[in-house]
Amino acid sequence: MAFQLVLPDSKSVSQAPSPLAYAVDRTFFYAAAAGALAIILLVIYILWEIGGQALPAIGRSGASVLVNTQWDVQNSSFGILPQIWGTLYSSLMALLIGGFIGVSIAIFLTQDFLPHSLATVFRTLIEMLAAIPSVVFGLWGIFVVIPFVRPAADWLHDAAGFIPFFSTSLSGPGMLPAVIVLSIMILPTVAAISQDAIGLVPYKIKEAAYGLGATRWEAILKVILPTASGGISSALVLGFGRALGETMALAMLIGNANQISLSLFSPATTLAALLASNFPEAGAIERQALMYAALVLLAITLVVNVAGTLILLWTSRKMAKA
Amino acid sequence: MLLPGKLTGPWAATLAGAFWLATAAVSAPALADGIELHGAGSTLAAPLYEKWIGEYQRTHNSVILHYAAVGSGEGVARFASGAVDFGASDVALASEKAAKIAGGVVQVPSTAGMVVLAYNLPGFKGELKLPQDVYSDIFLGRIHSWDDPRIAGANPGLKLPARTIAVVVRQDSSGTTYAFTSHLAAVSKNWGVEGRGAGTVVAWPHEAMNARGNEGVASRIKIADNSIGYVEYGFARRLGLKVAALQNSEGRFVLPSPEAGEAAMVSSATGSLDGLGASIVNPHGPEAYPIVTYSWLLLHRHYPPEQARVLKSFVLFALGDGQKQALNLGYIALPPAVTELAKAAVVEIDAEPAAPTPTTRN
């Protein structure tokens, strides 16, 4: 059979690229590459700048800042262990609550529990949570969440005060209200990405599970969730990252007390809250210590993100083998 | 408003607005016949200073005074650097610090305030009494619960909840903290044992909640149940917070009131302005409220003639008629002996015909 060359005529939709198209293509490539490079450079610059300003504090007190518990401006002795503890504790608790609810919502909205149109409405509503300003969440926490949880907290303290989690009474601002508001704040992130991940599970896998006689919940828990686990864990990591860096709502709700306590009802503080509340009046030496704290916060976020990526790689590799 | 008292009705507002725009556009020259002075410092006395400025400007149309409530520490720093014409601080400048300020400083006590322990105990009826060793141990973190036997012992017959005490303290550099900690250092043995000392910023117990400014502490107490914190009397009164009766040096429990504050002032007044600040860390007298502090205006010794005239007349107004307004806002009127000393100090400010000092604003 002879090879037939078909040249595009004026009616064809395809045409040989013009020099202009080449130029546009090239320009776009370089612009995109420059944009990507700029982001990397920006991150490096921020690290460089913060690290540079933190350097005197690091040189002065080294790692002792990480284990000291007193932020004492008068004696220029700074410690951020309570802040690190508060940041990790509040974020982990928020991830526990917000992660569970977020993944549940994702299952509920994607597995035909609801008519499709209603599910879309729900999804939009949950994503709108992400548009509420942090300070509004803070006010809502003070005037709605705290009065709402106080009776339950008082009851728990009276009945089970011997358990470390309930060992103090809830005064108002404290860990529990902060965790509740934080878990609602990370909900849209977790729910949206989990929905996408579950949505990406091929339909034939679900069909096959049903075909083998699995019930709906068996299909969801034993087939669909494991298949989507990579995406869901990255949703959780992103939610955790958001919780680590949240500032305003926490500064309003957590109570600003530099203590390390397991109690959910006692006031605490976080690295971000420390930065927000101490920067305005900080003198030169305190500012260096605050930069050190900012660097620690960056490092924690970085570690969490790297860990998340590794989990993602590991699970997808395991899935490929199975 | 720049044209107070001359016109009334909506036209006055429009005119004033137009005039303001005009002055903003033409800037300084429009005020050529007037004078503008800036001050900054104490938040404790800020509501009173704003009241005084409003009153003074009503009768002196050509004068514009600005006051920024930035805290005593920052106020002293701005005054020393010449950024403002007068400073305000709840802590009198130590003589070695004052000596460093070019041209010399005149420190004038302007008012006095009580530092009160405001609390929020829902369902608690009655008047909370706190002995000196008990309230200092609360702020040392040695007493954790409201039903502690030492608190109950001072309040027989009153039912205190089995709840954690939520202590609220100041985070920023503050004259209120200085007054409170100087008092604690004077009355409490444990305070010294723990090495806390007195200062505008101190290391509080870990479980204490930190808040910014007198307003910040007062509003935190308002939203936190079972809380206690220290604020200037007027701030607690404005938010409707309950205040504790504190034990004074004679062993009696005294609620903050203008009379109790005045009793503390009168019993401790000394013959000179030096040492006045230190004289009232634990005032004597059976009716005296135990934690009081003077608040000071910091003035330069020399000003250009016009500025000197205006500042002198403003401070003399504050020390005279102004003292009546102090009572309404929850402050203590200065005892006559102290106002006389203060007036004598104001006279030392003199006009300086020479070239502009560093404090002159263009």
Side-chain angles (χ1 to χ4, degrees):
Chain A
M1 204 165 130
F3 181 73
Q4 243 185 333
L5 186 72
V6 181
L7 284 172
D9 58 18
S10 59
K11 280 178 192 156
S12 167
V13 288
S14 65
Q15 266 178 355
S18 66
L20 181 68
Y22 273 116
V24 168
D25 196 40
R26 272 288 149 85
T27 319
F28 179 76
F29 172 78
Y30 285 120
L37 194 68
I39 288 173
I40 297 171
L41 286 179
L42 186 66
V43 171
I44 294 174
Y45 175 69
I46 289 174
L47 274 174
W48 171 263
E49 192 67 23
I50 293 178
Q53 293 199 38
L55 212 56
I58 299 173
R60 206 176 305 116
S61 28
S64 71
V65 167
L66 303 178
V67 292
N68 279 353
T69 56
Q70 190 77 263
W71 188 269
D72 186 351
V73 182
Q74 205 179 18
N75 299 321
S76 289
S77 129
F78 303 102
I80 54 171
L81 190 60
Q83 283 80 6
I84 296 175
W85 164 261
T87 305
L88 292 176
Y89 192 40
S90 64
S91 302
L92 277 173
M93 295 304 272
L95 186 66
L96 215 63
I97 302 172
F100 178 74
I101 299 176
V103 174
S104 309
I105 287 175
I107 294 170
F108 184 66
L109 293 184
T110 50
Q111 297 305 309
D112 308 323
F113 286 92
L114 285 178
H116 187 69
S117 53
L118 207 56
T120 316
V121 172
F122 266 83
R123 185 184 172 136
T124 317
L125 280 177
I126 290 162
E127 278 166 11
M128 268 170 63
L129 278 180
I132 297 176
S134 186
V135 63
V136 176
F137 268 115
L139 285 174
W140 179 74
I142 289 175
F143 294 111
V144 179
V145 175
I146 289 177
F148 185 73
V149 298
R150 202 182 263 136
D154 283 349
W155 181 80
L156 274 173
H157 172 65
D158 290 339
F162 56 88
I163 301 173
F165 295 114
F166 313 130
S167 59
T168 58
S169 64
L170 180 73
S171 152
M175 189 55 93
L176 182 67
V179 163
I180 290 174
V181 169
L182 202 53
S183 57
I184 295 170
M185 293 179 83
I186 68 170
L187 202 59
T189 314
V190 175
I193 301 174
S194 301
Q195 278 179 67
D196 291 342
I198 296 174
L200 282 175
V201 174
Y203 206 67
K204 60 182 182 188
I205 290 184
K206 202 162 105 181
E207 295 285 278
Y210 285 134
L212 288 171
T215 63
R216 183 190 242 185
W217 281 108
E218 279 169 346
I220 290 173
L221 294 177
K222 294 185 178 158
V223 177
I224 295 168
L225 281 190
T227 316
S229 63
I232 291 175
S233 49
S234 63
L236 295 178
V237 167
L238 280 175
F240 191 56
R242 168 130 212 250
L244 286 174
E246 176 48 44
T247 308
M248 193 61 207
L250 276 185
M252 293 167 78
L253 280 171
I254 204 161
N256 279 336
N258 304 341
Q259 68 173 334
I260 300 172
S261 166
L262 264 183
S263 173
L264 286 170
F265 303 150
S266 61
T269 184
T270 68
L271 284 167
L274 170 84
L275 292 171
S277 63
N278 284 44
F279 243 110
E281 283 196 344
I285 293 182
E286 190 184 3
R287 181 158 303 181
Q288 290 158 2
L290 285 170
M291 283 296 182
Y292 193 172
L295 204 62
V296 171
L297 180 57
L298 264 175
I300 293 176
T301 322
L302 197 70
V303 166
V304 167
N305 275 317
V306 169
T309 315
L310 289 179
I311 292 173
L312 202 67
L313 276 176
W314 181 68
T315 46
S316 57
R317 206 171 291 157
K318 218 173 112 188
M319 292 299 297
K321 262 186 215 160
Chain B
M1 221 159 59
L2 291 178
L3 288 174
K6 291 256 169 94
L7 293 159
T8 49
W11 285 109
T14 320
L15 257 178
F19 182 66
W20 182 80
L21 280 177
T23 45
V26 187
S27 106
L31 276 168
D33 59 333
I35 186 160
E36 197 173 347
L37 291 167
H38 293 256
S42 163
T43 66
L44 180 144
L48 181 59
Y49 290 161
E50 271 142 29
K51 176 87 183 160
W52 281 346
I53 287 172
E55 292 279 313
Y56 184 79
Q57 285 181 164
R58 194 172 303 160
T59 48
H60 297 76
N61 286 332
S62 60
V63 177
I64 297 174
L65 291 162
H66 299 279
Y67 182 75
V70 291
S72 298
E74 179 73 17
V76 171
R78 289 195 193 176
F79 175 72
S81 72
V84 290
D85 301 304
F86 64 96
S89 169
D90 309 324
V91 190
L93 278 187
S95 47
E96 63 267 26
K97 232 179 173 180
K100 280 189 197 145
I101 292 172
V105 188
V106 177
Q107 303 194 54
V108 182
S110 56
T111 186
M114 284 170 279
V115 178
V116 303
L117 295 187
Y119 64 91
N120 178 359
L121 277 174
F124 175 77
K125 299 211 169 43
E127 181 183 282
L128 184 69
K129 293 193 183 80
L130 293 176
Q132 295 198 324
D133 60 322
V134 172
Y135 62 73
S136 47
D137 276 4
I138 289 177
F139 281 86
L140 274 170
R142 291 187 174 203
I143 296 180
H144 294 284
S145 183
W146 280 108
D147 60 354
D148 190 278
R150 288 169 68 196
I151 303 180
N155 296 278
L158 292 177
K159 202 176 144 30
L160 285 151
R163 296 270 176 259
T164 315
I165 303 179
V167 176
V168 187
V169 299
R170 276 286 280 277
Q171 164 181 28
D172 50 328
S173 170
S174 145
T176 314
T177 303
Y178 183 83
F180 184 51
T181 52
S182 321
H183 170 77
L184 291 182
V187 303
S188 161
K189 216 183 287 166
N190 291 344
W191 192 263
V193 170
E194 302 237 338
R196 306 250 184 216
T200 53
V201 185
V202 296
W204 294 105
H206 289 301
E207 62 270 21
M209 288 196 266
N210 294 284
R212 188 167 280 280
N214 264 305
E215 319 76 31
V217 174
S219 54
R220 177 61 59 85
I221 296 168
K222 183 95 179 165
I223 62 163
D225 283 4
N226 311 311
S227 56
I228 188 166
Y230 61 93
V231 285
E232 193 277 323
Y233 179 49
F235 289 86
R237 217 174 54 167
R238 270 191 291 283
L239 281 190
L241 299 172
K242 293 185 80 175
V243 294
L246 302 185
Q247 190 185 37
N248 65 14
S249 59
E250 316 247 325
R252 295 183 48 167
F253 290 95
V254 184
L255 270 177
S257 68
E259 297 75 34
E262 216 159 330
M265 298 276 114
V266 171
S267 70
S268 311
T270 53
S272 79
L273 286 184
D274 306 326
L276 200 58
S279 68
I280 51 169
V281 288
N282 191 22
H284 303 288
E287 307 298 332
Y289 183 76
I291 318 175
V292 284
T293 175
Y294 286 103
S295 200
W296 303 78
L297 282 172
L298 309 179
L299 304 162
H300 289 287
R301 197 165 288 278
H302 309 289
Y303 285 98
E306 195 60 4
Q307 290 191 8
R309 188 183 60 78
V310 169
L311 265 178
K312 270 176 158 172
S313 100
F314 173 67
V315 176
L316 288 176
F317 156 78
L319 293 170
D321 290 349
Q323 294 299 315
K324 289 176 204 144
Q325 278 135 14
L327 287 176
N328 299 332
L329 290 171
Y331 297 92
I332 312 165
L334 295 176
V338 176
T339 33
E340 287 316 310
L341 287 170
K343 281 178 183 166
V346 173
V347 175
E348 289 175 35
I349 298 170
D350 59 15
E352 183 185 66
T357 63
T359 59
T360 315
R361 307 177 70 85
N362 50 0

